[in-house]
């Protein structure tokens, strides 16, 4: 049976957090869809709150402490990435961006991404498209077209009555599952210490030796 | 095996007194540190290069030449020499000079430098850092091995009939180390030329060092310079010692917490765990250092950083005393145990001369009396091939110097 590895990053700061809750639902629908198609799913969930000090130390020192390194390695070798951040002051949380900043710029190439965000009111929902989506486009990841924004009201009866939160989650998860099913990204090893340009190539533009 | 110290030449406030030394004071302190390194029996002193405050070492060969004059056995090296923003022609000249005035006690470690603005200040583009390093070193390598060089590249003006003077001492270029933290291409470069590879090994996890050294050793063998175990490896390290471990921890903590590189980041305990930094007793330093061999194999050179972050001169000299009296003698003994006989020592001028000439007399480059003018007809040196069509015109410069008999 085929197995796909999905990594979930939640940048919610409180415990429990609605960002984590949204992340869990995005994962549940995506994994459910994949399993229906006979694809086994291995999921790893990271809450950036637990990594906040490590992320700061990485920014200051240039290397990842062990716990953060585990998260970065998981992201780099994933078949799909689900991210959820709260929207603070018109954009992603600072901690979320700091995490993105310590990811190797090549590590997300061709990675399917499902974006979620949370906020107090739906008036911030476009932050997904003007702030978060360009990050992943810049990194050559593949964010699916549906981003899922959950405002506080969405968790009760005060949300969108026509396209409810569960509908939007399912739509995003469907687009995401389609891409994750097709990728074989986790089978490709990306080793930053590997030598891909031997000296003949470096000196004179020769291919190989 | 060689043991020594390296400095990055930072001028940093002493956080325990709030006092910052002047440039003059810190330069004099470094000269005292270097000469004391020889007095306590260390082998190597290596000096960094920077072109911005709060660092003072913009001109390493000047400093090292003075230290050479004040010492007699100390090997003088760099940590690192910028192969990207320095002109390789001037590097060839400067380090050949240092080699001569030091009596063959000079080598150098090349690096790319990580201070962004230095590149534009010297007319370079940091995005081209690696291609510049590759091209510039290829030129430097030739300038020390060919009396007359014709050359054209992308990053400096071409050369026609250029001779780098003085020629390397005894016709043997200074040994070169290449330093890098995590760029595989630099390990490949070092391996390709059969040069040494130096892993910074401070500020970053040991796993990076392990990967880079493994790659360098594998490629060293691939390029035919010897077995992987015979590749020439150097490691950095960072220590602070007191006889009593807890005293070391207490005394170093304010310097750690405020150090420009890692201050206000991870705790000292996290950092000592995640990197090779060792703060404790001489025995702890011995144990930690001996452990390096477990993941890089038998190696040739160990340098420590001991004078940064505002540590006062007196403290640094005490660190040197501990290294010289308690640490290095034990390390020499322990590293020698089980070291395979075919693993070489770090190359020195004497060993390189021996390797090149055996028992024969080494080359003493002597310019032709009325040439030495870098022109390309034959060699400017007496032991070079004589130019067949040229007769002396009695002129060292101008058209007369190259006028041939037939043209007269």
């Amino acid at each position: 049976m085929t197995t796909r590895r999905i990594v979930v990053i939640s940048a919610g700061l409180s415990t429990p957090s609605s960002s984590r809750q949204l992340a869990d639902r995005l994962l549940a629908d995506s994994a459910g869809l994949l399993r229906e198609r006979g694809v086994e799913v291995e999921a790893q969930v990271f809450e950036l709150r637990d990594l906040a000090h490590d992320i700061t130390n990485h920014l200051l020192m240039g290397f990842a402490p062990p716990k953060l390194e585990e998260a970065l390695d998981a992201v780099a070798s994933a078949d799909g990435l689900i991210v959820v951040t709260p929207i603070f002051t018109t954009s992603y949380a600072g901690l979320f961006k700091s995490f993105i900043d310590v990811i190797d710029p090549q590590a997300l190439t061709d990675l399917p991404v499902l974006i979620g965000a949370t906020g107090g009111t739906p008036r911030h929902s476009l932050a997904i498209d003007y702030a978060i989506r360009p990050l992943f486009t810049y990194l050559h990841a593949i964010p699916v077209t549906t981003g899922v924004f959950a405002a506080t009201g969405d968790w009760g009866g005060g949300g969108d009555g026509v396209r409810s939160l569960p509908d939007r989650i399912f739509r995003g998860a469907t687009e995401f599952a389609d891409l994750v099913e097709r990728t074989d990204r986790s089978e490709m090893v990306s080793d930053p210490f590997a030598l891909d340009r031997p000296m003949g190539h470096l000196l004179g533009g020769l291919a190989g030796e | 095996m060689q043991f020594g110290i390296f400095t990055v030449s930072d001028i940093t406030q002493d956080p325990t007194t709030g006092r910052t030394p002047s440039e003059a004071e810190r330069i004099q302190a470094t000269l005292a540190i270097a000469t004391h390194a020889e007095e306590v029996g260390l082998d190597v002193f290596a000096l960094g290069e920077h072109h911005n405050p709060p660092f003072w070492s913009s001109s390493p060969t000047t400093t090292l030449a003075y230290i050479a004059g004040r010492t007699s056995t100390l090997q003088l090296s760099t940590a690192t020499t910028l192969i990207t923003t320095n002109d390789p022609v001037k590097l060839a000249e400067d380090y050949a000079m240092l080699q001569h005035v030091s009596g063959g006690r000079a080598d150098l470690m090349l690096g790319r430098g990580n201070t962004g603005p230095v590149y534009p200040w010297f007319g370079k583009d940091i995005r081209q850092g690696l291609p510049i390093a590759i091209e510039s070193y290829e030129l430097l390598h030739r300038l020390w091995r060919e009396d007359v060089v014709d050359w054209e590249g992308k990053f400096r003006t071409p050369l026609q009939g250029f001779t780098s003077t003085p020629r390397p001492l005894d016709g043997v270029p200074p040994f070169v180390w290449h330093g890098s933290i995590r760029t595989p291409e630099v390990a490949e470069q070092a391996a390709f030329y059969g040069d040494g590879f130096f892993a910074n090994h401070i500020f970053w996890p040991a796993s990076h060092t392990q990967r880079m050294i493994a790659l360098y050793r594998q490629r060293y063998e691939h390029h035919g310079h010897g077995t992987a175990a015979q590749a020439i490896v150097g490691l950095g390290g960072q220590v602070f010692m007191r006889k009593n471990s807890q005293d070391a921890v207490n005394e170093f903590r304010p310097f750690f917490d405020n150090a420009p590189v890692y201050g206000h980041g991870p705790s000292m305990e996290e950092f000592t765990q995640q990197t090779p930094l060792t703060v404790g007793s001489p025995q702890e330093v011995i144990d930690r250092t001996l452990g390096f061999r477990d993941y890089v194999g038998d190696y040739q050179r160990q340098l420590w950083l001991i004078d940064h972050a505002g540590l006062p001169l007196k403290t640094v000299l005490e660190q040197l005393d501990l290294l010289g009296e308690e640490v290095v003698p034990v390390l020499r003994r322990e590293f020698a145990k089980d070291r395979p006989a075919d693993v070489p020592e770090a190359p020195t001028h004497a060993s390189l001369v021996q390797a090149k000439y055996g028992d024969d007399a080494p080359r003493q480059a002597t310019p032709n009396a009325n040439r030495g003018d870098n022109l390309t007809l034959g060699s400017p040196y007496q032991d070079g091939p004589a130019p067949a069509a040229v007769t002396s015109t009695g002129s060292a410069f101008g058209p007369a110097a190259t006028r041939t008999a037939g043209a007269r």
Side-chain angles (χ1 to χ4, degrees):
Chain A
M1 184 184 262
T2 323
T3 303
R4 292 285 179 260
R5 295 186 37 214
I6 294 178
V7 172
V8 181
I9 299 291
S10 168
L13 294 184
S14 51
T15 315
S17 103
S18 56
S19 291
R20 172 64 192 265
Q21 209 169 346
L22 176 59
D24 285 347
R25 289 177 178 230
L26 291 168
L27 173 63
D29 276 16
S30 305
L33 285 161
L34 286 164
R35 288 192 184 111
E36 277 172 22
R37 302 174 195 178
V39 177
E40 193 54 45
V41 173
E42 277 175 20
Q44 271 179 292
V45 183
F46 296 95
E47 294 223 31
L48 296 189
R49 190 183 201 290
D50 302 335
L51 301 171
H53 283 266
D54 282 357
I55 290 169
T56 304
N57 287 344
H58 191 331
L59 289 171
L60 297 179
M61 292 306 310
F63 70 87
K67 219 163 43 144
L68 175 58
E69 181 138 52
E70 189 195 329
L72 292 173
D73 288 348
V75 168
S77 61
D79 291 308
L81 175 67
I82 295 172
V83 294
V84 181
T85 175
I87 300 301
F88 293 157
T89 328
T90 76
S91 186
Y92 34 68
L95 180 60
F96 177 76
K97 179 58 161 54
S98 293
F99 178 73
I100 297 292
D101 287 347
V102 298
I103 295 176
D104 183 285
Q106 272 83 49
L108 302 194
T109 303
D110 295 338
L111 176 64
V113 178
L114 175 54
I115 302 170
T118 57
T121 77
R123 284 188 292 280
H124 298 293
S125 57
L126 272 178
I128 286 180
D129 292 302
Y130 67 70
I132 306 173
R133 186 178 303 280
L135 281 183
F136 291 102
T137 311
Y138 174 79
L139 291 166
H140 297 283
I142 311 171
V144 298
T145 50
T146 298
V148 181
F149 187 89
T152 305
D154 279 316
W155 300 103
D160 189 326
V162 178
R163 246 184 215 291
S164 71
L165 179 61
D167 289 345
R168 301 191 316 266
I169 288 172
F170 186 77
R171 181 171 183 171
T174 307
E175 294 168 9
F176 180 66
D178 286 348
L179 292 184
V180 171
E181 187 185 5
R182 286 203 299 268
T183 187
D184 57 353
R185 216 178 158 276
S186 64
E187 283 154 35
M188 293 181 284
V189 182
S190 136
D191 179 357
F193 291 98
L195 180 71
D196 49 19
R197 287 178 294 174
M199 201 64 193
H201 180 85
L202 290 171
L203 265 181
L206 304 172
E209 296 287 37
Chain B
M1 185 159 164
Q2 294 175 335
F3 296 91
I5 54 172
F6 71 106
T7 178
V8 291
S9 87
D10 61 311
I11 303 173
T12 304
Q13 185 186 56
D14 178 340
T16 62
T17 63
R19 191 175 169 283
T20 306
S22 69
E23 290 179 338
E25 188 183 342
R26 193 60 180 115
I27 290 168
Q28 290 304 319
T30 308
L31 300 176
I33 290 166
T35 50
H36 196 54
E38 177 170 295
E39 286 163 5
V40 302
L42 297 191
D43 309 309
V44 184
F45 175 81
L47 177 60
E49 177 182 335
H50 289 274
H51 298 276
N52 54 318
F55 305 95
W56 61 263
S57 179
S58 57
S59 186
T61 52
T62 309
T63 314
L64 293 174
Y66 178 84
I67 295 169
R70 299 289 303 270
T71 54
S72 54
T73 59
L74 195 63
Q75 183 77 14
L76 305 161
S77 187
T78 58
T80 62
T81 293
L82 304 178
I83 186 64
T84 46
T85 48
N86 283 305
D87 182 1
V89 170
K90 197 69 174 76
L91 289 179
E93 296 172 338
D94 284 346
Y95 284 88
M97 270 308 304
L98 180 61
Q99 203 193 14
H100 277 271
V101 300
S102 68
R105 287 188 282 134
D107 59 60
L108 66 161
M109 191 204 304
L110 299 178
R112 280 173 298 161
N114 56 7
T115 309
V118 173
Y119 285 79
W121 286 334
F122 287 82
K124 298 290 195 284
D125 183 343
I126 194 169
R127 294 171 300 171
Q128 300 271 38
L130 187 61
I132 296 171
I134 300 291
E135 176 180 300
S136 293
Y137 182 60
E138 171 64 13
L139 174 56
L140 176 60
H141 195 261
R142 284 187 59 195
L143 289 168
W144 278 335
R145 287 164 178 83
E146 299 171 34
D147 286 348
V148 181
V149 170
D150 295 343
W151 177 89
E152 195 173 334
K154 279 169 67 180
F155 300 109
R156 98 177 285 293
T157 198
L159 298 168
Q160 296 298 333
F162 180 77
T163 297
S164 175
T165 56
R167 301 308 300 147
L169 179 65
D170 300 320
V172 173
F175 188 71
V176 172
W177 302 77
H178 299 261
S180 176
I181 295 154
R182 52 176 306 165
T183 307
E185 289 85 353
V186 173
E188 166 73 349
Q189 183 187 30
F192 176 80
Y193 292 100
D195 294 340
F197 182 77
F198 191 93
N200 158 296
H201 202 225
I202 59 174
F203 306 151
W204 281 272
S207 57
H208 291 201
T209 298
Q210 183 174 10
R211 296 292 312 274
M212 290 291 286
I213 301 286
L215 173 65
Y216 162 66
R217 287 189 183 283
Q218 175 209 332
R219 298 299 292 176
Y220 186 91
E221 182 166 312
H222 169 88
H223 289 297
H225 300 292
T227 66
Q230 291 170 331
I232 307 297
V233 171
L235 291 187
Q238 194 189 359
V239 294
F240 187 86
M241 291 171 285
R242 289 298 180 198
K243 301 253 175 203
N244 179 329
S245 184
Q246 195 55 45
D247 290 345
V249 170
N250 293 340
E251 186 177 343
F252 190 61
R253 191 179 300 281
F255 293 94
F256 179 90
D257 286 346
N258 294 287
V261 179
Y262 39 64
H264 312 290
S267 70
M268 195 163 86
E269 284 69 19
E270 286 174 308
F271 202 73
T272 48
Q273 199 180 4
Q274 291 165 13
T275 77
L277 169 66
T278 308
V279 181
S281 66
Q283 187 58 47
E284 287 173 285
V285 169
I286 289 168
D287 293 343
R288 193 92 188 266
T289 310
L290 287 172
F292 296 166
R293 181 166 57 172
D294 296 341
Y295 57 85
V296 301
D298 288 293
Y299 62 109
Q300 281 73 20
R301 175 176 281 187
Q302 173 67 54
L303 301 183
W304 289 285
L305 176 66
I306 58 166
D307 76 327
H308 73 313
L311 288 163
L313 175 60
K314 178 170 172 292
T315 306
V316 175
L317 296 177
E318 288 163 0
Q319 296 298 305
L320 277 174
D321 289 336
L322 287 168
L323 280 177
E325 288 162 18
E326 302 198 21
V327 174
V328 168
V330 179
L331 289 178
R332 284 194 203 282
R333 203 167 58 232
E334 292 298 318
F335 273 127
K337 284 182 188 164
D338 307 323
R339 188 182 174 101
D342 65 344
V343 170
E345 291 296 322
T348 59
H349 185 69
S351 74
L352 293 169
V353 167
Q354 173 67 30
K356 180 164 181 181
Y357 300 101
D359 294 332
D360 296 340
R363 179 192 193 197
Q364 299 304 320
T366 309
N368 289 314
N370 54 355
R371 289 183 52 89
D373 54 2
N374 292 350
L375 293 175
T376 53
L377 301 170
S379 166
Y381 290 92
Q382 291 180 9
D383 56 359
V390 179
T391 57
S392 170
T393 60
S395 177
F397 302 101
T402 54
R403 192 175 294 145
T404 61
R408 218 179 298 194

